[in-house]
Amino acid sequence: MVDQAVVQDATAKPADKREGVERSDAEPVNKKERRSLYQKRIKIYPRLARGGFRRLKWGVMAVTLAIYYLTPWIRWDRGPNAPDQAVLIDFPGRRFYFFFIEIWPQEVYYLTGLLILAAIGLFLVTSLAGRVWCGYTCPQTVWTDLFIAVERFFQGDRASRIRMDKMPWTGNKVWRKAATHVTWVVIAAGTGGAWVFYFADAPTLAQQLVTFDAPAVAYVTIATLTFTTYLLGGLAREQVCTYMCPWPRIQGGLLDEESLVITYHEDRGEPRGARKKGTHPTELGDCIDCNQCVAVCPMGIDIRDGQQLECITCALCIDACNGVMDKVGLPRNLISYDTLANVERVRAGEKPRLRLIRPRTLIYTGIIALVTLIMLFTLVTRSDLDVNILRDRNPLFVTLSDGSIRNGYTVKIINKQHAERHFTLAVEGLPGASIDIVGNDVTAADLQVDPDDLESYRVFVSAPRDSLEDDSLDLRFLITDKADGTRVTYDSVFRGPK
Amino acid sequence: MAHDKEIDQVSGTETTGHEWDGIKELNTPLPRWWLWTFYATCLWALAYWVVMPAWPLVSSYTKGVIGYSSREQLANTMAEARAAQAVYLDRIEQASLEEIVNDRELLDFAQAGGGSAFAVNCSQCHGLGAAGSTGFPNLNDDNWIWGGTLEAIHQTILYGIRSDHDETRFNEMPAFGRDEILDREQVGDVAEYVLSLSGSETDPAAAQRGSEIFAEQCAACHGEDGTGNQDLGAPNLTDAIWLYGGDKADVVQTIANSRSGMMPAWTGRLDETTIKQLAVYVHSLGGGE
């Protein structure tokens, strides 16, 4: 799988070290001139970058992986009759537990709200600082970064890996390659393994998995995610971002000239060229053409070509370039986070500035604030008692032998508490109304609903014929908790003959 | 395409040679793994033809090596559902009607099962909501010609009314007019009296005359006070419910020509557990005694 270009690279003369800067002949393998019909994937050997952004990325990787692997193991006491797992998606029980919140299936609109927040949050962050999601927190980036670290641990950095791919299959090569792939598979299995713990009690499932008592779906899920993690993180890598992911295409519509993106300051850097140590000929710009920005790039691009679809803005080229600039005694930030507008401003002799507050960011912030407020309001005012009343439509009403009119209703009471509750049922707005409930020994004075359950009652409301002035009357149901007096009202109608 | 490769100046990519209004289509290369994925899906399709039922033949189809059949899957699913129901059906078969109503689980099951059996077998006459129509009783109300207890309803469903079953419920009201037992005026007078029983406005004199005829001809079945007799299937004439309509013309028609609605016996057509569920369902509609 070694491309011609890489072979040339590795056989080229040793890097020029006269300036104390290691030169690399790394080629941007995804440069557009290199593509042909049915492009074979050209392997990228990213070099380890050192610097602030690399440290930040290690930190983000540690935090995000910790959240992913450890969350199912957090316990949260909900008392009896409820699981004590802080985050649990309980499909058989049809509940989603998230710390202090319990979501019932009919409340999935909370999920909609979260998705809206996630989407608009992504829009806001992208319009402010470009593809920071792609560069730091996207699982594809995090796991690829982890897999590259594993590769580096066993096979060495860029030059060593290129050498290893070229050399014949010796014992040393076999064990280093095997160790890399085995470690990848172990990490991948751990990734799939952690996923299933979100859907069942983690300690119980872990025990079942080891003793082979776990449900088949758990093993299938783990196997599938193991395969996809290994494939996408170990083998496909940048192909996922470039060809499979829609986000690089979408983000083009979210960025504007005031968004922070990885910028090569062409006005300062060009014309690029190598120079003698300590000298900076006036005919050359600050770029010494050492190619380190290309060598560290996990996407195989040359940032000096400008903004491009493949760039996930991981900022590793900034680290690489800053290290070089320090060594050759030139100012840092030849490559930096900057806006296209600032490049224009500098070119026009103006002062660069950041415009964080723009109509676009204000609108996104407004939407986020609005959705958050709505979500908080519904969450805070969320009742642990829900009532739904369905009126019979066939028959609309029944005339009884004494001439009075009867309507049928199905009353559904949802008790979201973890304790049994008792309710009374009454109606308002219908003179002389009487209530009958189907089932022996069930009366409107005492309706029992089991803990964390829904109970459905058939309720008949009857009234004398002359208490109906019209063929339709507004009727209000009052459901009251006998223990604490919590009351829910539900408006319905009562129908009679014309 | 016969012409030479053309390279687009801006992108450096080869074009397909297609041009629309000066816009040329780039021939951007696909990643090779994409091509392999495409070949893999072709292979998948070939394997699918071998493994699964795939090609129609003249009078059958290729069965596939694993013998999958959606028809069989349906049969299995239905068998599973029947097996799951069997637990409850066995209990319903053993239980008395009273026991079913007093067991919340069985009551829910019987109401659901009875409801679907009602929709299939009974709704043609009684309506989907069991509200009936002229000549077909409303089963939601509290008025029962042959009795509204669980047992009585069960009996009615089992053997029917004026059906061809030996144990059918049966009665026959004379056609007072057609058989010339009463003359035209007498029929009108009795009708006036019958309407007065349920509080309708009537001609007092006619009703008075009708009351005497009623005591003589009708009270034997409908009772002295006209409240009917469920053992005989004689309707209560004093309530607000009229099976064949409560206008004078309707009542005159009933007295003159009699009515004799018919309901089939369901024993032999439906199994015992279904009939039990139907009885529980009808009883739970709101009028059960």
Side-chain angles (χ1 to χ4, degrees), chain B residues 173-191 194 218 244 248-260:
Chain B
M173 173 172 151
F176 289 96
R178 197 177 59 213
D179 295 346
E180 294 175 359
I181 302 167
L182 300 174
D183 64 28
R184 226 178 157 73
E185 268 168 36
Q186 286 173 310
V187 170
D189 290 346
V190 175
V194 166
C218 316
Y244 290 94
K248 189 180 175 191
D250 297 324
V251 178
V252 166
Q253 171 79 356
T254 304
I255 298 169
N257 293 321
S258 174
R259 311 270 189 180
S260 50

PDB file of all heavy atoms in Angstrom, chain B residues 173-191 194 218 244 248-260:
ATOM      1  N   MET B 173     -95.453 -12.275  19.800  1.00  0.00           N
ATOM      2  CA  MET B 173     -96.537 -11.344  20.122  1.00  0.00           C
ATOM      3  C   MET B 173     -97.573 -11.437  19.017  1.00  0.00           C
ATOM      4  O   MET B 173     -97.217 -11.476  17.846  1.00  0.00           O
ATOM      5  CB  MET B 173     -95.959  -9.926  20.195  1.00  0.00           C
ATOM      6  CG  MET B 173     -96.997  -8.841  20.365  1.00  0.00           C
ATOM      7  SD  MET B 173     -96.237  -7.243  20.682  1.00  0.00           S
ATOM      8  CE  MET B 173     -97.475  -6.173  19.962  1.00  0.00           C
ATOM      9  N   PRO B 174     -98.829 -11.512  19.385  1.00  0.00           N
ATOM     10  CA  PRO B 174     -99.865 -11.617  18.342  1.00  0.00           C
ATOM     11  C   PRO B 174     -99.883 -10.381  17.460  1.00  0.00           C
ATOM     12  O   PRO B 174     -99.587  -9.286  17.934  1.00  0.00           O
ATOM     13  CB  PRO B 174    -101.173 -11.704  19.128  1.00  0.00           C
ATOM     14  CG  PRO B 174    -100.783 -12.034  20.529  1.00  0.00           C
ATOM     15  CD  PRO B 174     -99.409 -11.501  20.736  1.00  0.00           C
ATOM     16  N   ALA B 175    -100.228 -10.566  16.203  1.00  0.00           N
ATOM     17  CA  ALA B 175    -100.418  -9.432  15.308  1.00  0.00           C
ATOM     18  C   ALA B 175    -101.873  -9.001  15.460  1.00  0.00           C
ATOM     19  O   ALA B 175    -102.755  -9.493  14.754  1.00  0.00           O
ATOM     20  CB  ALA B 175    -100.098  -9.819  13.866  1.00  0.00           C
ATOM     21  N   PHE B 176    -102.117  -8.083  16.431  1.00  0.00           N
ATOM     22  CA  PHE B 176    -103.494  -7.778  16.837  1.00  0.00           C
ATOM     23  C   PHE B 176    -104.332  -7.221  15.706  1.00  0.00           C
ATOM     24  O   PHE B 176    -105.518  -7.511  15.582  1.00  0.00           O
ATOM     25  CB  PHE B 176    -103.503  -6.799  18.022  1.00  0.00           C
ATOM     26  CG  PHE B 176    -103.026  -7.439  19.294  1.00  0.00           C
ATOM     27  CD1 PHE B 176    -101.707  -7.324  19.709  1.00  0.00           C
ATOM     28  CD2 PHE B 176    -103.910  -8.182  20.076  1.00  0.00           C
ATOM     29  CE1 PHE B 176    -101.263  -7.912  20.867  1.00  0.00           C
ATOM     30  CE2 PHE B 176    -103.461  -8.778  21.233  1.00  0.00           C
ATOM     31  CZ  PHE B 176    -102.150  -8.653  21.644  1.00  0.00           C
ATOM     32  N   GLY B 177    -103.733  -6.447  14.836  1.00  0.00           N
ATOM     33  CA  GLY B 177    -104.475  -5.863  13.732  1.00  0.00           C
ATOM     34  C   GLY B 177    -104.639  -6.846  12.594  1.00  0.00           C
ATOM     35  O   GLY B 177    -105.756  -7.116  12.130  1.00  0.00           O
ATOM     36  N   ARG B 178    -103.541  -7.425  12.163  1.00  0.00           N
ATOM     37  CA  ARG B 178    -103.575  -8.294  10.984  1.00  0.00           C
ATOM     38  C   ARG B 178    -104.457  -9.500  11.234  1.00  0.00           C
ATOM     39  O   ARG B 178    -105.203  -9.946  10.358  1.00  0.00           O
ATOM     40  CB  ARG B 178    -102.134  -8.728  10.660  1.00  0.00           C
ATOM     41  CG  ARG B 178    -101.959  -9.279   9.276  1.00  0.00           C
ATOM     42  CD  ARG B 178    -100.500  -9.607   9.031  1.00  0.00           C
ATOM     43  NE  ARG B 178    -100.007 -10.587   9.992  1.00  0.00           N
ATOM     44  CZ  ARG B 178     -98.759 -10.606  10.455  1.00  0.00           C
ATOM     45  NH1 ARG B 178     -97.879  -9.694  10.061  1.00  0.00           N
ATOM     46  NH2 ARG B 178     -98.382 -11.519  11.321  1.00  0.00           N
ATOM     47  N   ASP B 179    -104.376 -10.027  12.459  1.00  0.00           N
ATOM     48  CA  ASP B 179    -105.189 -11.208  12.770  1.00  0.00           C
ATOM     49  C   ASP B 179    -106.587 -10.848  13.258  1.00  0.00           C
ATOM     50  O   ASP B 179    -107.324 -11.695  13.762  1.00  0.00           O
ATOM     51  CB  ASP B 179    -104.464 -12.059  13.835  1.00  0.00           C
ATOM     52  CG  ASP B 179    -103.158 -12.621  13.310  1.00  0.00           C
ATOM     53  OD1 ASP B 179    -102.962 -12.563  12.068  1.00  0.00           O
ATOM     54  OD2 ASP B 179    -102.323 -13.066  14.115  1.00  0.00           O
ATOM     55  N   GLU B 180    -106.916  -9.578  13.168  1.00  0.00           N
ATOM     56  CA  GLU B 180    -108.269  -9.068  13.468  1.00  0.00           C
ATOM     57  C   GLU B 180    -108.712  -9.388  14.878  1.00  0.00           C
ATOM     58  O   GLU B 180    -109.857  -9.696  15.158  1.00  0.00           O
ATOM     59  CB  GLU B 180    -109.277  -9.588  12.438  1.00  0.00           C
ATOM     60  CG  GLU B 180    -108.971  -9.018  11.061  1.00  0.00           C
ATOM     61  CD  GLU B 180    -109.861  -9.595   9.965  1.00  0.00           C
ATOM     62  OE1 GLU B 180    -110.689 -10.454  10.302  1.00  0.00           O
ATOM     63  OE2 GLU B 180    -109.700  -9.168   8.814  1.00  0.00           O
ATOM     64  N   ILE B 181    -107.763  -9.341  15.829  1.00  0.00           N
ATOM     65  CA  ILE B 181    -108.126  -9.482  17.234  1.00  0.00           C
ATOM     66  C   ILE B 181    -108.699  -8.150  17.721  1.00  0.00           C
ATOM     67  O   ILE B 181    -109.657  -8.107  18.471  1.00  0.00           O
ATOM     68  CB  ILE B 181    -106.898  -9.869  18.082  1.00  0.00           C
ATOM     69  CG1 ILE B 181    -106.291 -11.178  17.545  1.00  0.00           C
ATOM     70  CG2 ILE B 181    -107.259 -10.010  19.563  1.00  0.00           C
ATOM     71  CD1 ILE B 181    -104.927 -11.499  18.085  1.00  0.00           C
ATOM     72  N   LEU B 182    -108.043  -7.053  17.267  1.00  0.00           N
ATOM     73  CA  LEU B 182    -108.524  -5.716  17.599  1.00  0.00           C
ATOM     74  C   LEU B 182    -108.807  -4.999  16.295  1.00  0.00           C
ATOM     75  O   LEU B 182    -108.166  -5.258  15.282  1.00  0.00           O
ATOM     76  CB  LEU B 182    -107.447  -4.948  18.375  1.00  0.00           C
ATOM     77  CG  LEU B 182    -106.982  -5.537  19.717  1.00  0.00           C
ATOM     78  CD1 LEU B 182    -105.829  -4.724  20.264  1.00  0.00           C
ATOM     79  CD2 LEU B 182    -108.136  -5.593  20.727  1.00  0.00           C
ATOM     80  N   ASP B 183    -109.814  -4.090  16.370  1.00  0.00           N
ATOM     81  CA  ASP B 183    -110.047  -3.320  15.152  1.00  0.00           C
ATOM     82  C   ASP B 183    -109.125  -2.097  15.139  1.00  0.00           C
ATOM     83  O   ASP B 183    -108.392  -1.837  16.083  1.00  0.00           O
ATOM     84  CB  ASP B 183    -111.516  -2.934  14.996  1.00  0.00           C
ATOM     85  CG  ASP B 183    -111.973  -2.008  16.115  1.00  0.00           C
ATOM     86  OD1 ASP B 183    -111.098  -1.267  16.652  1.00  0.00           O
ATOM     87  OD2 ASP B 183    -113.160  -2.052  16.473  1.00  0.00           O
ATOM     88  N   ARG B 184    -109.181  -1.381  14.058  1.00  0.00           N
ATOM     89  CA  ARG B 184    -108.298  -0.241  13.816  1.00  0.00           C
ATOM     90  C   ARG B 184    -108.289   0.762  14.965  1.00  0.00           C
ATOM     91  O   ARG B 184    -107.235   1.210  15.413  1.00  0.00           O
ATOM     92  CB  ARG B 184    -108.809   0.461  12.541  1.00  0.00           C
ATOM     93  CG  ARG B 184    -107.734   0.790  11.589  1.00  0.00           C
ATOM     94  CD  ARG B 184    -108.361   1.437  10.367  1.00  0.00           C
ATOM     95  NE  ARG B 184    -107.374   2.239   9.683  1.00  0.00           N
ATOM     96  CZ  ARG B 184    -106.375   1.706   8.964  1.00  0.00           C
ATOM     97  NH1 ARG B 184    -106.311   0.412   8.814  1.00  0.00           N
ATOM     98  NH2 ARG B 184    -105.503   2.488   8.383  1.00  0.00           N
ATOM     99  N   GLU B 185    -109.500   1.119  15.441  1.00  0.00           N
ATOM    100  CA  GLU B 185    -109.583   2.126  16.500  1.00  0.00           C
ATOM    101  C   GLU B 185    -109.009   1.616  17.803  1.00  0.00           C
ATOM    102  O   GLU B 185    -108.338   2.330  18.533  1.00  0.00           O
ATOM    103  CB  GLU B 185    -111.044   2.552  16.714  1.00  0.00           C
ATOM    104  CG  GLU B 185    -111.391   3.753  15.863  1.00  0.00           C
ATOM    105  CD  GLU B 185    -112.877   4.007  15.837  1.00  0.00           C
ATOM    106  OE1 GLU B 185    -113.511   3.784  16.888  1.00  0.00           O
ATOM    107  OE2 GLU B 185    -113.363   4.380  14.761  1.00  0.00           O
ATOM    108  N   GLN B 186    -109.275   0.347  18.074  1.00  0.00           N
ATOM    109  CA  GLN B 186    -108.759  -0.238  19.312  1.00  0.00           C
ATOM    110  C   GLN B 186    -107.238  -0.234  19.316  1.00  0.00           C
ATOM    111  O   GLN B 186    -106.600   0.069  20.334  1.00  0.00           O
ATOM    112  CB  GLN B 186    -109.289  -1.667  19.478  1.00  0.00           C
ATOM    113  CG  GLN B 186    -110.758  -1.721  19.880  1.00  0.00           C
ATOM    114  CD  GLN B 186    -111.284  -3.142  19.859  1.00  0.00           C
ATOM    115  OE1 GLN B 186    -111.095  -3.850  18.869  1.00  0.00           O
ATOM    116  NE2 GLN B 186    -111.944  -3.533  20.941  1.00  0.00           N
ATOM    117  N   VAL B 187    -106.663  -0.588  18.166  1.00  0.00           N
ATOM    118  CA  VAL B 187    -105.193  -0.563  18.059  1.00  0.00           C
ATOM    119  C   VAL B 187    -104.684   0.838  18.363  1.00  0.00           C
ATOM    120  O   VAL B 187    -103.719   1.033  19.133  1.00  0.00           O
ATOM    121  CB  VAL B 187    -104.736  -1.034  16.665  1.00  0.00           C
ATOM    122  CG1 VAL B 187    -103.240  -0.762  16.468  1.00  0.00           C
ATOM    123  CG2 VAL B 187    -105.034  -2.504  16.480  1.00  0.00           C
ATOM    124  N   GLY B 188    -105.345   1.849  17.798  1.00  0.00           N
ATOM    125  CA  GLY B 188    -104.951   3.241  18.043  1.00  0.00           C
ATOM    126  C   GLY B 188    -105.073   3.581  19.512  1.00  0.00           C
ATOM    127  O   GLY B 188    -104.182   4.250  20.085  1.00  0.00           O
ATOM    128  N   ASP B 189    -106.129   3.137  20.157  1.00  0.00           N
ATOM    129  CA  ASP B 189    -106.326   3.442  21.579  1.00  0.00           C
ATOM    130  C   ASP B 189    -105.215   2.804  22.432  1.00  0.00           C
ATOM    131  O   ASP B 189    -104.691   3.435  23.339  1.00  0.00           O
ATOM    132  CB  ASP B 189    -107.699   2.924  22.048  1.00  0.00           C
ATOM    133  CG  ASP B 189    -108.825   3.746  21.430  1.00  0.00           C
ATOM    134  OD1 ASP B 189    -108.515   4.844  20.884  1.00  0.00           O
ATOM    135  OD2 ASP B 189    -109.981   3.291  21.474  1.00  0.00           O
ATOM    136  N   VAL B 190    -104.903   1.537  22.145  1.00  0.00           N
ATOM    137  CA  VAL B 190    -103.848   0.853  22.914  1.00  0.00           C
ATOM    138  C   VAL B 190    -102.523   1.590  22.712  1.00  0.00           C
ATOM    139  O   VAL B 190    -101.773   1.801  23.674  1.00  0.00           O
ATOM    140  CB  VAL B 190    -103.720  -0.622  22.488  1.00  0.00           C
ATOM    141  CG1 VAL B 190    -102.545  -1.279  23.216  1.00  0.00           C
ATOM    142  CG2 VAL B 190    -105.003  -1.375  22.787  1.00  0.00           C
ATOM    143  N   ALA B 191    -102.282   2.011  21.476  1.00  0.00           N
ATOM    144  CA  ALA B 191    -101.041   2.748  21.199  1.00  0.00           C
ATOM    145  C   ALA B 191    -100.982   4.013  22.053  1.00  0.00           C
ATOM    146  O   ALA B 191     -99.934   4.338  22.642  1.00  0.00           O
ATOM    147  CB  ALA B 191    -100.953   3.079  19.717  1.00  0.00           C
ATOM    148  N   VAL B 194    -100.112   2.971  25.564  1.00  0.00           N
ATOM    149  CA  VAL B 194     -98.722   2.537  25.702  1.00  0.00           C
ATOM    150  C   VAL B 194     -97.787   3.763  25.735  1.00  0.00           C
ATOM    151  O   VAL B 194     -96.876   3.849  26.558  1.00  0.00           O
ATOM    152  CB  VAL B 194     -98.331   1.587  24.544  1.00  0.00           C
ATOM    153  CG1 VAL B 194     -96.817   1.398  24.480  1.00  0.00           C
ATOM    154  CG2 VAL B 194     -99.025   0.264  24.703  1.00  0.00           C
ATOM    155  N   CYS B 218    -102.779  -7.362  26.815  1.00  0.00           N
ATOM    156  CA  CYS B 218    -101.318  -7.197  26.829  1.00  0.00           C
ATOM    157  C   CYS B 218    -100.686  -7.477  28.180  1.00  0.00           C
ATOM    158  O   CYS B 218     -99.501  -7.850  28.261  1.00  0.00           O
ATOM    159  CB  CYS B 218    -100.936  -5.778  26.403  1.00  0.00           C
ATOM    160  SG  CYS B 218    -101.858  -5.177  24.973  1.00  0.00           S
ATOM    161  N   TYR B 244     -88.254  -0.284  18.246  1.00  0.00           N
ATOM    162  CA  TYR B 244     -88.764  -0.066  16.878  1.00  0.00           C
ATOM    163  C   TYR B 244     -89.297   1.349  16.707  1.00  0.00           C
ATOM    164  O   TYR B 244     -90.088   1.617  15.819  1.00  0.00           O
ATOM    165  CB  TYR B 244     -89.851  -1.091  16.548  1.00  0.00           C
ATOM    166  CG  TYR B 244     -89.289  -2.496  16.381  1.00  0.00           C
ATOM    167  CD1 TYR B 244     -89.255  -3.386  17.451  1.00  0.00           C
ATOM    168  CD2 TYR B 244     -88.780  -2.914  15.153  1.00  0.00           C
ATOM    169  CE1 TYR B 244     -88.742  -4.652  17.305  1.00  0.00           C
ATOM    170  CE2 TYR B 244     -88.257  -4.187  15.000  1.00  0.00           C
ATOM    171  CZ  TYR B 244     -88.246  -5.052  16.080  1.00  0.00           C
ATOM    172  OH  TYR B 244     -87.722  -6.308  15.924  1.00  0.00           O
ATOM    173  N   LYS B 248     -96.164   7.406  17.445  1.00  0.00           N
ATOM    174  CA  LYS B 248     -97.404   6.661  17.488  1.00  0.00           C
ATOM    175  C   LYS B 248     -97.494   5.689  16.312  1.00  0.00           C
ATOM    176  O   LYS B 248     -97.929   4.545  16.455  1.00  0.00           O
ATOM    177  CB  LYS B 248     -98.613   7.614  17.470  1.00  0.00           C
ATOM    178  CG  LYS B 248     -99.903   6.854  17.728  1.00  0.00           C
ATOM    179  CD  LYS B 248    -101.131   7.719  17.718  1.00  0.00           C
ATOM    180  CE  LYS B 248    -102.366   6.823  17.861  1.00  0.00           C
ATOM    181  NZ  LYS B 248    -103.599   7.549  17.602  1.00  0.00           N
ATOM    182  N   ALA B 249     -97.066   6.135  15.150  1.00  0.00           N
ATOM    183  CA  ALA B 249     -97.142   5.280  13.963  1.00  0.00           C
ATOM    184  C   ALA B 249     -96.335   3.992  14.182  1.00  0.00           C
ATOM    185  O   ALA B 249     -96.777   2.894  13.809  1.00  0.00           O
ATOM    186  CB  ALA B 249     -96.597   6.025  12.741  1.00  0.00           C
ATOM    187  N   ASP B 250     -95.155   4.116  14.803  1.00  0.00           N
ATOM    188  CA  ASP B 250     -94.316   2.941  15.058  1.00  0.00           C
ATOM    189  C   ASP B 250     -95.028   1.975  16.007  1.00  0.00           C
ATOM    190  O   ASP B 250     -95.036   0.761  15.803  1.00  0.00           O
ATOM    191  CB  ASP B 250     -92.982   3.357  15.688  1.00  0.00           C
ATOM    192  CG  ASP B 250     -92.162   4.236  14.762  1.00  0.00           C
ATOM    193  OD1 ASP B 250     -92.206   4.003  13.533  1.00  0.00           O
ATOM    194  OD2 ASP B 250     -91.489   5.155  15.269  1.00  0.00           O
ATOM    195  N   VAL B 251     -95.596   2.549  17.064  1.00  0.00           N
ATOM    196  CA  VAL B 251     -96.245   1.701  18.068  1.00  0.00           C
ATOM    197  C   VAL B 251     -97.475   1.010  17.453  1.00  0.00           C
ATOM    198  O   VAL B 251     -97.717  -0.183  17.679  1.00  0.00           O
ATOM    199  CB  VAL B 251     -96.616   2.538  19.313  1.00  0.00           C
ATOM    200  CG1 VAL B 251     -97.330   1.674  20.340  1.00  0.00           C
ATOM    201  CG2 VAL B 251     -95.369   3.157  19.924  1.00  0.00           C
ATOM    202  N   VAL B 252     -98.241   1.760  16.658  1.00  0.00           N
ATOM    203  CA  VAL B 252     -99.414   1.177  15.989  1.00  0.00           C
ATOM    204  C   VAL B 252     -98.976   0.018  15.096  1.00  0.00           C
ATOM    205  O   VAL B 252     -99.569  -1.067  15.105  1.00  0.00           O
ATOM    206  CB  VAL B 252    -100.150   2.256  15.156  1.00  0.00           C
ATOM    207  CG1 VAL B 252    -101.144   1.620  14.189  1.00  0.00           C
ATOM    208  CG2 VAL B 252    -100.863   3.234  16.083  1.00  0.00           C
ATOM    209  N   GLN B 253     -97.909   0.257  14.365  1.00  0.00           N
ATOM    210  CA  GLN B 253     -97.376  -0.783  13.483  1.00  0.00           C
ATOM    211  C   GLN B 253     -97.023  -2.038  14.278  1.00  0.00           C
ATOM    212  O   GLN B 253     -97.329  -3.147  13.878  1.00  0.00           O
ATOM    213  CB  GLN B 253     -96.130  -0.206  12.780  1.00  0.00           C
ATOM    214  CG  GLN B 253     -95.321  -1.172  11.986  1.00  0.00           C
ATOM    215  CD  GLN B 253     -95.952  -1.448  10.617  1.00  0.00           C
ATOM    216  OE1 GLN B 253     -97.056  -0.948  10.330  1.00  0.00           O
ATOM    217  NE2 GLN B 253     -95.300  -2.254   9.820  1.00  0.00           N
ATOM    218  N   THR B 254     -96.353  -1.837  15.441  1.00  0.00           N
ATOM    219  CA  THR B 254     -95.956  -2.968  16.280  1.00  0.00           C
ATOM    220  C   THR B 254     -97.174  -3.749  16.767  1.00  0.00           C
ATOM    221  O   THR B 254     -97.223  -4.984  16.699  1.00  0.00           O
ATOM    222  CB  THR B 254     -95.136  -2.468  17.486  1.00  0.00           C
ATOM    223  OG1 THR B 254     -94.017  -1.722  17.003  1.00  0.00           O
ATOM    224  CG2 THR B 254     -94.651  -3.630  18.335  1.00  0.00           C
ATOM    225  N   ILE B 255     -98.196  -3.006  17.240  1.00  0.00           N
ATOM    226  CA  ILE B 255     -99.368  -3.690  17.786  1.00  0.00           C
ATOM    227  C   ILE B 255    -100.133  -4.405  16.669  1.00  0.00           C
ATOM    228  O   ILE B 255    -100.576  -5.552  16.819  1.00  0.00           O
ATOM    229  CB  ILE B 255    -100.289  -2.676  18.502  1.00  0.00           C
ATOM    230  CG1 ILE B 255     -99.532  -2.037  19.681  1.00  0.00           C
ATOM    231  CG2 ILE B 255    -101.565  -3.354  18.986  1.00  0.00           C
ATOM    232  CD1 ILE B 255    -100.256  -0.850  20.284  1.00  0.00           C
ATOM    233  N   ALA B 256    -100.259  -3.751  15.526  1.00  0.00           N
ATOM    234  CA  ALA B 256    -101.069  -4.304  14.450  1.00  0.00           C
ATOM    235  C   ALA B 256    -100.416  -5.535  13.819  1.00  0.00           C
ATOM    236  O   ALA B 256    -101.071  -6.547  13.569  1.00  0.00           O
ATOM    237  CB  ALA B 256    -101.311  -3.232  13.381  1.00  0.00           C
ATOM    238  N   ASN B 257     -99.103  -5.462  13.582  1.00  0.00           N
ATOM    239  CA  ASN B 257     -98.469  -6.526  12.806  1.00  0.00           C
ATOM    240  C   ASN B 257     -97.485  -7.368  13.603  1.00  0.00           C
ATOM    241  O   ASN B 257     -96.911  -8.306  13.081  1.00  0.00           O
ATOM    242  CB  ASN B 257     -97.726  -5.918  11.615  1.00  0.00           C
ATOM    243  CG  ASN B 257     -98.711  -5.297  10.622  1.00  0.00           C
ATOM    244  OD1 ASN B 257     -99.777  -5.860  10.379  1.00  0.00           O
ATOM    245  ND2 ASN B 257     -98.366  -4.145  10.104  1.00  0.00           N
ATOM    246  N   SER B 258     -97.224  -6.971  14.845  1.00  0.00           N
ATOM    247  CA  SER B 258     -96.246  -7.651  15.693  1.00  0.00           C
ATOM    248  C   SER B 258     -94.845  -7.462  15.108  1.00  0.00           C
ATOM    249  O   SER B 258     -94.670  -7.012  13.977  1.00  0.00           O
ATOM    250  CB  SER B 258     -96.545  -9.138  15.838  1.00  0.00           C
ATOM    251  OG  SER B 258     -95.502  -9.764  16.547  1.00  0.00           O
ATOM    252  N   ARG B 259     -93.869  -7.753  15.911  1.00  0.00           N
ATOM    253  CA  ARG B 259     -92.479  -7.706  15.453  1.00  0.00           C
ATOM    254  C   ARG B 259     -91.857  -9.022  15.886  1.00  0.00           C
ATOM    255  O   ARG B 259     -92.208  -9.571  16.923  1.00  0.00           O
ATOM    256  CB  ARG B 259     -91.703  -6.576  16.128  1.00  0.00           C
ATOM    257  CG  ARG B 259     -92.389  -5.225  16.113  1.00  0.00           C
ATOM    258  CD  ARG B 259     -91.990  -4.437  14.874  1.00  0.00           C
ATOM    259  NE  ARG B 259     -92.480  -3.058  14.965  1.00  0.00           N
ATOM    260  CZ  ARG B 259     -92.280  -2.151  14.024  1.00  0.00           C
ATOM    261  NH1 ARG B 259     -91.625  -2.472  12.918  1.00  0.00           N
ATOM    262  NH2 ARG B 259     -92.740  -0.934  14.155  1.00  0.00           N
ATOM    263  N   SER B 260     -90.943  -9.522  15.143  1.00  0.00           N
ATOM    264  CA  SER B 260     -90.233 -10.695  15.639  1.00  0.00           C
ATOM    265  C   SER B 260     -88.815 -10.688  15.093  1.00  0.00           C
ATOM    266  O   SER B 260     -88.488 -11.302  14.100  1.00  0.00           O
ATOM    267  CB  SER B 260     -90.963 -11.979  15.260  1.00  0.00           C
ATOM    268  OG  SER B 260     -91.275 -11.967  13.885  1.00  0.00           O
TER     269      SER B 260
END
